[in-house]
């Protein structure tokens, strides 16, 4: 029995840092992160990891939006720090 492939349509949009902030506030993990901060501040993490001190690299898209925002508010001094924390392309 041959099963036909499923066609999925993806919509890619160019987003601003403001739209990323809106997503985080409205649909993202901001409340979850704040819950972990609350537990940490009240010594109630148990065996959970304290997320406050973990640093993650920025995706290239997020870094681009951050840089555009920094330029728009005149804080170009932070651009090199954003580059330093941006995920590097994997070498083959």
């Amino acid at each position: 029995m041959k099963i036909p492939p499923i066609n999925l349509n993806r919509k890619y949009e160019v987003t601003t840092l403001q739209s990323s902030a809106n997503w985080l506030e409205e649909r993202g993990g901001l409340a979850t992160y704040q819950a972990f901060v609350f537990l940490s501040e009240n010594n109630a993490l148990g065996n959970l990891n304290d997320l406050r001190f973990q640093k993650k690299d920025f995706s290239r898209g997020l870094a681009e939006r951050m840089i555009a925002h920094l330029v728009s508010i005149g804080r170009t001094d932070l651009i090199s720090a954003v580059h330093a924390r941006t995920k590097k392309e994997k070498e083959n």
Side-chain angles (χ1 to χ4, degrees):
M1 181 173 170
K2 188 173 181 180
I3 300 173
I6 298 173
N7 291 323
L8 300 175
N9 294 321
R10 292 179 129 185
K11 182 179 176 184
Y12 292 97
E13 296 179 20
V14 175
T15 59
T16 64
L17 194 57
Q18 182 61 54
S19 63
S20 296
N22 292 345
W23 176 86
L24 182 64
E25 292 171 2
E26 296 168 8
R27 297 177 301 203
L30 185 58
T32 302
Y33 176 76
Q34 289 180 354
F36 273 85
V37 170
F38 173 84
L39 292 173
S40 178
E41 289 173 344
N42 290 282
N43 298 317
L45 282 172
N47 62 351
L48 299 172
N49 293 328
D50 190 341
L51 302 178
R52 294 177 303 158
F53 305 108
Q54 292 187 23
K55 282 195 171 186
K56 297 291 181 185
D57 289 340
F58 307 127
S59 70
R60 294 180 67 80
L62 178 57
E64 289 170 3
R65 292 189 300 272
M66 291 173 69
I67 291 168
H69 172 74
L70 291 170
V71 168
S72 74
I73 64 167
R75 290 300 310 271
T76 57
D77 57 301
L78 296 174
I79 292 174
S80 61
V82 171
H83 281 297
R85 291 209 31 211
T86 299
K87 291 180 183 177
K88 308 301 181 239
E89 292 185 24
K90 294 182 180 178
E91 295 180 17
N92 293 332

